[in-house]
Amino acid sequence: ADEWSVLVKAPGWTSIAVAAASPSGPIGIVKEMFAAGKVMAQAKAGGQNLLVEALMTDLATSEGRQNAQPTGASGKSPGEIRGVAVDELKRVAALVDAKAGGDAAGFKRWPASLAENVAEAAKEGGFLGIGGTRVDESEKAALADIGKALGVSV
């Protein structure tokens, strides 16, 4: 149960790490969370990875969604939150490497893909959506940290 709790929080920590890297304001946050939801909905459709499918089955329940909420970020600065999230993703990677065998690589690639989608969801900088960049330097750094934590390229 404790190990599953680590895994089920992976999507949340991934989203938080990207969002904390470059806060996008209320509209940007909504776009980023919508992008995360879209990736999770695609995973729910199946065919990607058995471990991801099991996680999505758990997240389909109210108890699973409650257990998936990352904890330990309250009261921290965006930089500290990103650090906590990356550390949690390192735990995820170590756990799946030790226990998931052939499903480990596919599982680790999934939150990395989620991170990419979240980073690309809202423009950073600019004014009212005019100007700015799709993925700014802070988000690129967060993506690199996430990839390194998970042991995959992002």
Side-chain angles (χ1 to χ4, degrees):
D2 290 337
E3 291 173 340
W4 186 250
S5 178
V6 171
L7 295 184
V8 78
K9 288 180 171 87
W13 282 122
T14 302
S15 299
I16 287 171
V18 175
S22 185
S24 302
I27 293 173
I29 292 291
V30 169
K31 287 180 179 180
E32 290 173 344
M33 293 306 110
F34 181 74
K38 185 176 177 182
V39 170
M40 292 173 68
Q42 290 169 340
K44 189 175 181 179
Q48 291 186 5
N49 177 284
L50 293 176
L51 192 52
V52 172
E53 289 177 27
L55 186 141
M56 294 313 301
T57 298
D58 193 25
L59 291 178
T61 68
S62 60
E63 182 181 354
R65 286 187 298 277
Q66 184 177 5
N67 292 337
Q69 297 300 313
T71 56
S74 182
K76 294 186 175 12
S77 72
E80 291 170 328
I81 292 169
R82 182 173 146 197
V84 170
V86 168
D87 287 344
E88 290 299 319
L89 292 173
K90 287 177 186 175
R91 288 182 60 202
V92 167
L95 182 59
V96 295
D97 283 341
K99 303 262 180 153
D103 285 332
F107 183 86
K108 293 188 302 183
R109 182 70 202 125
W110 180 69
S113 173
L114 188 144
E116 292 169 326
N117 279 274
V118 169
E120 294 171 357
K123 285 186 176 181
E124 308 301 328
F127 180 72
L128 297 174
I130 301 168
T133 60
R134 185 59 63 190
V135 181
D136 70 11
E137 293 304 315
S138 295
E139 288 177 325
K140 287 178 185 176
L143 291 174
D145 289 346
I146 290 166
K148 185 176 179 182
L150 293 169
V152 299
S153 62
V154 180

